[in-house]
Amino acid sequence: MSDPEALPDFTALPDLAAVRLGGVVLEANDEFFAPKENLLRPDAPTFDPLAYTDRGKEMDGWETRRRREPGHDHCTIRLGVPGIVRGVVVDTSFFRGNYPERCSLEATGADDLEGADWFELLPESPLRGDARNPFAVDPAPRVTHLRLHIYPDGGVARLRVHGEPLPDLRAAVAGGVTDLAASVAGGWIEDASDRFFSSPHNLIAPGDPHGMHDGWETRRRRGPGHDWVVIRLAAEAELDRIEVDTSFFKGNYPDTCSVDARVGEGGWAEVLGRRKLEPDRRHAFELLAGATATHVRLNIYPDGGVARLRVHGRVTRAGWRSFGVRWLNALAPDAFEREVLACCASVVWAHAMREARPFPDFDAVLEASDAAWAGLGRQDRLEAFAAHPRIGDRQGSAWSRQEQAETATADEEVLRALAEGNRAYEGRFGHVFLINATGRGPEGMLAELRRRMGNDADAELEEAAEQQRQIARIRLEKLVRPPA
């Protein structure tokens, strides 16, 4: 007989709203009978028939008062890790005569909710009482927040939001996080040989473990072989070291471990030979020099429990490009356009880039940029030019200041000549002098400005357009990686 409470495959994916990852219920329009925070509690809901409060029956969930006027109730959740939601479980356990009839979900990819654009993630759908209600959702943009609507009122015990983590890796690395297996950086468990006692997702959770239940433990192996777990790193990286933490595992820790690595769909290569493990201890191992990986496989011999796994490394250029493609493809349309407008300020160009998604790789991003730029008219090009400061002007954006870094040490005579040249150029052509300043010295830029003053208007527009094309390509690479 089939299990009516059996859950679909998407529940094997991480819970992006988990409290341990930083998930939090930000607000609810009503929580009269039971607080909104219960929605994200990590433990299964419970029921005590004798427990009452001064407001009524104590329930383990979020419960609103009986609605006596039109409308419905709702609450807003900030995900612990942004990502692509594949399904949700709305758990009404122990809510029998007081569960909502229906629910729906809205989502946004905004970091700041003021003025955020919300879209429908789950249409209004019926709920069963005292049951786990699973809902697969269609692929949608990257999500940072959810809004749960219940119709018209009632109680929900737990909400689980399963999906593929896609945090902003740039911020994680800029903040000093180098554990590329960590769930909060975007690492996730791809496969495991055994999940009998506890989930392998615990291995890459943030913070120290709280007990054996807070790690990955396999059943006792009675035949040949060994257990293993495969982790997809947040991005391709050059590996430095690995930490295997057996905290709280004393009579059931693995005897030894080893680590293999691979790039993409390539073959596995050993980067750490078998090492002896000790009970209730954090072990640190240096990995094979020069090892590069997108995936690592921890092998434990023969079986047992591991509390945490940390994989430290440095993201490669290919890793940043791969992250950039996933991230750009997953952004909501308005968020995508806001991001790429920093690379080229033409609104028409940004819209064309949006329409070119999904990008199969980063070279396709650059090719789409070139194609979009080639299709622009004069006014669209001038719109892009106008976003650039004058050469030698130190008041522009951080990228502009970085690109013109060498002008910071230019002598006053060269800076005066650049200022005079900028004024003459703008008087002749009607737009700012545009040049790909990356790696160019101030004297070279001044010489180029003087040369281009001899162009006619059409020829100069084409030269300036070529410089903007190059700048956009450089900035697209900068967009997807943290500041140097």
Side-chain angles (χ1 to χ4, degrees):
M1 179 180 292
S2 62
D3 178 4
E5 281 288 281
L7 296 177
D9 289 346
F10 68 71
T11 57
L13 297 172
D15 177 8
L16 303 179
V19 171
R20 72 189 312 164
L21 300 183
V24 62
V25 185
L26 296 176
E27 60 84 26
N29 71 304
D30 187 281
E31 47 185 330
F32 185 86
F33 286 115
K36 62 186 183 298
E37 288 78 14
N38 287 342
L39 268 179
L40 303 185
R41 285 183 56 175
D43 53 335
T46 60
F47 180 76
D48 181 351
L50 301 180
Y52 283 82
T53 72
D54 60 355
R55 293 193 170 190
K57 184 71 189 74
E58 184 176 76
M59 297 295 291
D60 186 7
W62 167 52
E63 185 180 6
T64 66
R65 74 190 77 201
R66 297 184 186 225
R67 180 170 286 275
R68 302 307 188 195
E69 65 283 333
H72 68 277
D73 294 324
H74 58 83
C75 67
T76 303
I77 297 104
R78 186 188 69 207
L79 300 183
V81 177
I84 311 300
V85 179
R86 297 299 182 188
V88 299
V89 179
V90 181
D91 186 347
T92 59
S93 291
F94 304 110
F95 288 94
R96 298 184 176 94
N98 50 350
Y99 65 94
E101 290 184 338
R102 303 174 309 284
C103 74
S104 68
L105 281 166
E106 290 181 292
T108 181
D111 293 318
D112 183 356
L113 294 187
E114 186 175 351
D117 294 316
W118 293 84
F119 61 89
E120 183 179 82
L121 188 70
L122 175 70
E124 198 169 318
S125 303
L127 290 172
R128 293 175 296 132
D130 195 22
R132 293 178 293 174
N133 296 267
F135 301 100
V137 299
D138 293 332
R142 174 180 180 267
V143 168
T144 57
H145 296 76
L146 296 179
R147 187 178 287 153
L148 172 65
H149 300 271
I150 57 173
Y151 303 91
D153 54 33
V156 176
R158 299 288 188 269
L159 177 68
R160 304 298 187 222
V161 183
H162 297 280
E164 302 170 24
L166 187 53
D168 189 342
L169 184 60
R170 303 169 304 172
V173 171
V177 176
T178 55
D179 175 14
L180 294 163
S183 52
V184 292
W188 67 307
I189 302 298
E190 197 166 83
D191 200 4
S193 60
D194 187 282
R195 304 165 185 255
F196 188 83
F197 286 113
S198 50
S199 170
H201 288 292
N202 292 336
L203 281 174
I204 58 176
D208 292 331
H210 302 294
M212 282 201 312
H213 66 284
D214 193 24
W216 170 54
E217 185 180 3
T218 70
R219 74 188 77 202
R220 298 186 187 221
R221 182 171 287 272
R222 300 307 188 190
H226 66 277
D227 288 319
W228 49 266
V229 62
V230 174
I231 301 98
R232 189 189 74 186
L233 302 180
E236 181 187 281
E238 295 178 359
L239 306 181
D240 288 335
R241 73 181 190 279
I242 191 168
E243 294 178 11
V244 180
D245 186 352
T246 60
S247 292
F248 300 104
F249 290 98
K250 299 174 181 177
N252 51 351
Y253 66 97
D255 180 60
T256 57
C257 75
S258 68
V259 176
D260 303 320
R262 77 167 196 244
V263 176
E265 297 302 317
W268 292 101
E270 185 178 82
V271 294
L272 179 71
R274 284 179 70 163
R275 296 290 191 274
K276 185 72 175 174
L277 295 176
E278 300 295 334
D280 195 26
R281 178 182 168 187
R282 183 178 297 172
H283 307 74
F285 302 109
E286 299 297 317
L287 297 179
L288 189 66
T292 300
T294 57
H295 297 72
V296 297
R297 181 173 63 196
L298 172 68
N299 304 298
I300 58 173
Y301 304 89
D303 53 31
V306 177
R308 292 288 187 272
L309 176 70
R310 306 300 188 203
V311 181
H312 298 272
R314 296 176 299 277
V315 179
T316 65
R317 181 170 182 260
W320 282 119
R321 283 178 146 224
S322 177
F323 158 75
V325 169
R326 290 179 61 222
W327 179 65
L328 289 172
N329 282 341
L331 289 175
D334 58 322
F336 175 87
E337 290 198 13
R338 283 196 300 269
E339 292 285 350
V340 299
L341 279 169
C343 304
C344 174
S346 162
V347 172
V348 174
W349 173 87
H351 183 75
M353 287 289 289
R354 185 189 81 186
E355 294 301 306
R357 295 188 300 170
F359 306 112
D361 53 41
F362 201 79
D363 286 339
V365 176
L366 301 180
E367 290 166 6
S369 174
D370 289 349
W373 182 250
L376 297 186
R378 174 184 174 85
Q379 289 306 120
D380 297 318
R381 291 181 173 186
L382 293 178
E383 180 184 33
F385 297 168
H388 292 272
R390 296 183 176 92
I391 295 297
D393 186 344
R394 298 168 187 170
Q395 304 303 311
S397 69
W399 279 351
S400 294
R401 292 194 301 272
Q402 182 187 49
E403 290 157 358
Q404 297 191 39
E406 295 196 32
T407 64
T409 58
D411 61 43
E412 290 301 318
E413 182 178 346
V414 172
L415 290 176
R416 280 195 299 272
L418 280 170
E420 292 171 3
N422 282 324
R423 287 192 292 270
Y425 179 97
E426 291 171 26
R428 174 167 168 71
F429 297 112
H431 58 78
V432 68
F433 171 64
L434 194 64
I435 188 169
N436 177 7
T438 301
R440 291 180 185 259
E443 293 83 0
M445 287 188 284
L446 178 60
E448 186 67 3
L449 187 157
R450 288 169 171 167
R451 179 190 71 77
R452 285 167 54 182
M453 284 290 289
N455 286 339
D456 62 35
D458 290 340
E460 180 52 27
L461 182 65
E462 290 305 312
E463 284 219 39
E466 170 58 20
Q467 298 301 306
Q468 173 61 66
R469 184 191 72 83
Q470 296 176 20
I471 292 168
R473 290 172 67 96
I474 291 170
R475 289 188 173 185
L476 282 166
E477 291 244 17
K478 290 179 179 178
L479 180 66
V480 301
R481 57 193 305 171

